[in-house]
């Protein structure tokens, strides 16, 4: 397909990762590669670089942050598709409940672990 499209648009898988899958491209010359481009420039967001897989997981993202991706493909001869429409997703907030001590209280030790992070209530 040209331009390329999403089989599965960017989807948050927790507070620090987003996964996505492009529509599979085919070409008689073979050697299809995909490039996922993170376009917000928000901390942790990375491009994939050219890769053989039509799927990509961006790890190390900031919690509760918007990330926007687009993807394109190329064949073995270097012919490229157009960019997909942008796919946007916001990572889940960092949840204080994940860091409770055995006494079930968020205390100074927990805050030391989570220094410089925003805490939000869990649903």
């Amino acid at each position: 397909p040209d331009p390329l499209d999403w089989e599965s648009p960017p989807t948050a898988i927790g507070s620090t990762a987003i996964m996505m899958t492009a529509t599979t491209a085919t070409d008689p010359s073979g050697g299809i590669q995909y490039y996922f481009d993170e376009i917000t420039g928000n901390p942790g967001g990375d491009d994939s670089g050219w890769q053989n897989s039509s799927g990509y997981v961006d790890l190390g993202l900031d919690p509760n942050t918007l990330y926007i991706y687009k993807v394109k493909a190329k064949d073995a001869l270097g012919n490229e598709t157009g960019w997909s429409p942008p796919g946007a997703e916001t990572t889940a907030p960092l949840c204080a409940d994940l860091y409770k001590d055995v006494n079930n209280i968020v205390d100074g030790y927990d805050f030391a672990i989570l220094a410089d992070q925003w805490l939000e209530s869990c649903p």
Side-chain angles (χ1 to χ4, degrees), residues 29-44:
S29 66
I32 302 296
Q33 292 188 313
Y34 301 85
Y35 192 100
F36 294 84
D37 187 22
E38 198 290 312
I39 61 175
T40 65
N42 285 333

PDB file of all heavy atoms in Angstrom, residues 29-44:
ATOM      1  N   SER A  29      10.515  -7.218  -5.727  1.00  0.00           N
ATOM      2  CA  SER A  29      11.960  -7.152  -5.482  1.00  0.00           C
ATOM      3  C   SER A  29      12.318  -7.642  -4.086  1.00  0.00           C
ATOM      4  O   SER A  29      13.481  -7.882  -3.793  1.00  0.00           O
ATOM      5  CB  SER A  29      12.472  -5.724  -5.692  1.00  0.00           C
ATOM      6  OG  SER A  29      11.928  -4.854  -4.726  1.00  0.00           O
ATOM      7  N   GLY A  30      11.308  -7.782  -3.205  1.00  0.00           N
ATOM      8  CA  GLY A  30      11.544  -8.297  -1.853  1.00  0.00           C
ATOM      9  C   GLY A  30      12.283  -7.314  -0.969  1.00  0.00           C
ATOM     10  O   GLY A  30      12.394  -6.139  -1.271  1.00  0.00           O
ATOM     11  N   GLY A  31      12.790  -7.843   0.140  1.00  0.00           N
ATOM     12  CA  GLY A  31      13.602  -7.047   1.048  1.00  0.00           C
ATOM     13  C   GLY A  31      12.874  -5.872   1.677  1.00  0.00           C
ATOM     14  O   GLY A  31      13.470  -4.823   1.880  1.00  0.00           O
ATOM     15  N   ILE A  32      11.605  -6.036   1.996  1.00  0.00           N
ATOM     16  CA  ILE A  32      10.826  -4.934   2.562  1.00  0.00           C
ATOM     17  C   ILE A  32      11.337  -4.575   3.949  1.00  0.00           C
ATOM     18  O   ILE A  32      11.577  -5.440   4.790  1.00  0.00           O
ATOM     19  CB  ILE A  32       9.331  -5.309   2.655  1.00  0.00           C
ATOM     20  CG1 ILE A  32       8.772  -5.679   1.278  1.00  0.00           C
ATOM     21  CG2 ILE A  32       8.524  -4.183   3.300  1.00  0.00           C
ATOM     22  CD1 ILE A  32       8.773  -4.553   0.288  1.00  0.00           C
ATOM     23  N   GLN A  33      11.498  -3.291   4.178  1.00  0.00           N
ATOM     24  CA  GLN A  33      11.878  -2.767   5.495  1.00  0.00           C
ATOM     25  C   GLN A  33      10.916  -1.649   5.882  1.00  0.00           C
ATOM     26  O   GLN A  33      10.288  -1.025   5.012  1.00  0.00           O
ATOM     27  CB  GLN A  33      13.308  -2.236   5.488  1.00  0.00           C
ATOM     28  CG  GLN A  33      14.354  -3.323   5.331  1.00  0.00           C
ATOM     29  CD  GLN A  33      15.744  -2.773   5.526  1.00  0.00           C
ATOM     30  OE1 GLN A  33      16.104  -1.741   4.977  1.00  0.00           O
ATOM     31  NE2 GLN A  33      16.541  -3.467   6.340  1.00  0.00           N
ATOM     32  N   TYR A  34      10.833  -1.407   7.200  1.00  0.00           N
ATOM     33  CA  TYR A  34       9.892  -0.430   7.746  1.00  0.00           C
ATOM     34  C   TYR A  34      10.652   0.574   8.609  1.00  0.00           C
ATOM     35  O   TYR A  34      11.622   0.222   9.274  1.00  0.00           O
ATOM     36  CB  TYR A  34       8.841  -1.135   8.605  1.00  0.00           C
ATOM     37  CG  TYR A  34       8.060  -2.171   7.837  1.00  0.00           C
ATOM     38  CD1 TYR A  34       8.540  -3.466   7.679  1.00  0.00           C
ATOM     39  CD2 TYR A  34       6.834  -1.854   7.255  1.00  0.00           C
ATOM     40  CE1 TYR A  34       7.835  -4.413   6.970  1.00  0.00           C
ATOM     41  CE2 TYR A  34       6.115  -2.799   6.548  1.00  0.00           C
ATOM     42  CZ  TYR A  34       6.622  -4.073   6.406  1.00  0.00           C
ATOM     43  OH  TYR A  34       5.919  -5.020   5.687  1.00  0.00           O
ATOM     44  N   TYR A  35      10.160   1.814   8.600  1.00  0.00           N
ATOM     45  CA  TYR A  35      10.754   2.872   9.417  1.00  0.00           C
ATOM     46  C   TYR A  35       9.635   3.554  10.197  1.00  0.00           C
ATOM     47  O   TYR A  35       8.748   4.171   9.616  1.00  0.00           O
ATOM     48  CB  TYR A  35      11.467   3.897   8.540  1.00  0.00           C
ATOM     49  CG  TYR A  35      12.334   4.861   9.322  1.00  0.00           C
ATOM     50  CD1 TYR A  35      13.704   4.667   9.393  1.00  0.00           C
ATOM     51  CD2 TYR A  35      11.791   5.963   9.985  1.00  0.00           C
ATOM     52  CE1 TYR A  35      14.512   5.549  10.111  1.00  0.00           C
ATOM     53  CE2 TYR A  35      12.580   6.840  10.704  1.00  0.00           C
ATOM     54  CZ  TYR A  35      13.935   6.624  10.762  1.00  0.00           C
ATOM     55  OH  TYR A  35      14.736   7.485  11.470  1.00  0.00           O
ATOM     56  N   PHE A  36       9.690   3.428  11.532  1.00  0.00           N
ATOM     57  CA  PHE A  36       8.735   4.073  12.419  1.00  0.00           C
ATOM     58  C   PHE A  36       9.383   5.355  12.941  1.00  0.00           C
ATOM     59  O   PHE A  36      10.483   5.313  13.492  1.00  0.00           O
ATOM     60  CB  PHE A  36       8.364   3.152  13.584  1.00  0.00           C
ATOM     61  CG  PHE A  36       7.609   1.926  13.144  1.00  0.00           C
ATOM     62  CD1 PHE A  36       8.280   0.796  12.686  1.00  0.00           C
ATOM     63  CD2 PHE A  36       6.218   1.904  13.183  1.00  0.00           C
ATOM     64  CE1 PHE A  36       7.591  -0.325  12.279  1.00  0.00           C
ATOM     65  CE2 PHE A  36       5.518   0.782  12.778  1.00  0.00           C
ATOM     66  CZ  PHE A  36       6.205  -0.342  12.318  1.00  0.00           C
ATOM     67  N   ASP A  37       8.699   6.478  12.768  1.00  0.00           N
ATOM     68  CA  ASP A  37       9.232   7.787  13.116  1.00  0.00           C
ATOM     69  C   ASP A  37       8.384   8.406  14.227  1.00  0.00           C
ATOM     70  O   ASP A  37       7.179   8.606  14.050  1.00  0.00           O
ATOM     71  CB  ASP A  37       9.200   8.673  11.875  1.00  0.00           C
ATOM     72  CG  ASP A  37       9.873  10.011  12.053  1.00  0.00           C
ATOM     73  OD1 ASP A  37      10.728  10.160  12.948  1.00  0.00           O
ATOM     74  OD2 ASP A  37       9.557  10.934  11.269  1.00  0.00           O
ATOM     75  N   GLU A  38       8.997   8.688  15.385  1.00  0.00           N
ATOM     76  CA  GLU A  38       8.301   9.370  16.476  1.00  0.00           C
ATOM     77  C   GLU A  38       8.488  10.860  16.236  1.00  0.00           C
ATOM     78  O   GLU A  38       9.611  11.347  16.160  1.00  0.00           O
ATOM     79  CB  GLU A  38       8.886   8.960  17.835  1.00  0.00           C
ATOM     80  CG  GLU A  38       7.970   9.266  19.016  1.00  0.00           C
ATOM     81  CD  GLU A  38       7.819  10.734  19.339  1.00  0.00           C
ATOM     82  OE1 GLU A  38       8.836  11.441  19.423  1.00  0.00           O
ATOM     83  OE2 GLU A  38       6.677  11.174  19.507  1.00  0.00           O
ATOM     84  N   ILE A  39       7.375  11.604  16.101  1.00  0.00           N
ATOM     85  CA  ILE A  39       7.482  12.983  15.614  1.00  0.00           C
ATOM     86  C   ILE A  39       7.231  14.073  16.652  1.00  0.00           C
ATOM     87  O   ILE A  39       7.351  15.251  16.325  1.00  0.00           O
ATOM     88  CB  ILE A  39       6.569  13.204  14.386  1.00  0.00           C
ATOM     89  CG1 ILE A  39       5.104  12.959  14.714  1.00  0.00           C
ATOM     90  CG2 ILE A  39       7.030  12.327  13.227  1.00  0.00           C
ATOM     91  CD1 ILE A  39       4.147  13.269  13.569  1.00  0.00           C
ATOM     92  N   THR A  40       6.916  13.735  17.908  1.00  0.00           N
ATOM     93  CA  THR A  40       6.693  14.795  18.893  1.00  0.00           C
ATOM     94  C   THR A  40       7.999  15.324  19.473  1.00  0.00           C
ATOM     95  O   THR A  40       8.062  16.467  19.895  1.00  0.00           O
ATOM     96  CB  THR A  40       5.833  14.311  20.081  1.00  0.00           C
ATOM     97  OG1 THR A  40       6.553  13.305  20.797  1.00  0.00           O
ATOM     98  CG2 THR A  40       4.480  13.805  19.635  1.00  0.00           C
ATOM     99  N   GLY A  41       9.002  14.470  19.537  1.00  0.00           N
ATOM    100  CA  GLY A  41      10.250  14.857  20.183  1.00  0.00           C
ATOM    101  C   GLY A  41      10.167  14.794  21.697  1.00  0.00           C
ATOM    102  O   GLY A  41      11.073  15.251  22.389  1.00  0.00           O
ATOM    103  N   ASN A  42       9.081  14.224  22.229  1.00  0.00           N
ATOM    104  CA  ASN A  42       8.945  14.101  23.682  1.00  0.00           C
ATOM    105  C   ASN A  42       9.990  13.137  24.235  1.00  0.00           C
ATOM    106  O   ASN A  42      10.425  12.215  23.532  1.00  0.00           O
ATOM    107  CB  ASN A  42       7.537  13.659  24.060  1.00  0.00           C
ATOM    108  CG  ASN A  42       6.547  14.789  23.914  1.00  0.00           C
ATOM    109  OD1 ASN A  42       6.905  15.960  24.018  1.00  0.00           O
ATOM    110  ND2 ASN A  42       5.289  14.459  23.661  1.00  0.00           N
ATOM    111  N   PRO A  43      10.405  13.319  25.488  1.00  0.00           N
ATOM    112  CA  PRO A  43      11.467  12.499  26.084  1.00  0.00           C
ATOM    113  C   PRO A  43      11.194  10.998  25.965  1.00  0.00           C
ATOM    114  O   PRO A  43      10.075  10.537  26.199  1.00  0.00           O
ATOM    115  CB  PRO A  43      11.468  12.919  27.556  1.00  0.00           C
ATOM    116  CG  PRO A  43      10.871  14.291  27.564  1.00  0.00           C
ATOM    117  CD  PRO A  43       9.860  14.296  26.453  1.00  0.00           C
ATOM    118  N   GLY A  44      12.223  10.272  25.556  1.00  0.00           N
ATOM    119  CA  GLY A  44      12.142   8.822  25.462  1.00  0.00           C
ATOM    120  C   GLY A  44      11.655   8.318  24.122  1.00  0.00           C
ATOM    121  O   GLY A  44      11.882   7.171  23.770  1.00  0.00           O
TER     122      GLY A  44
END
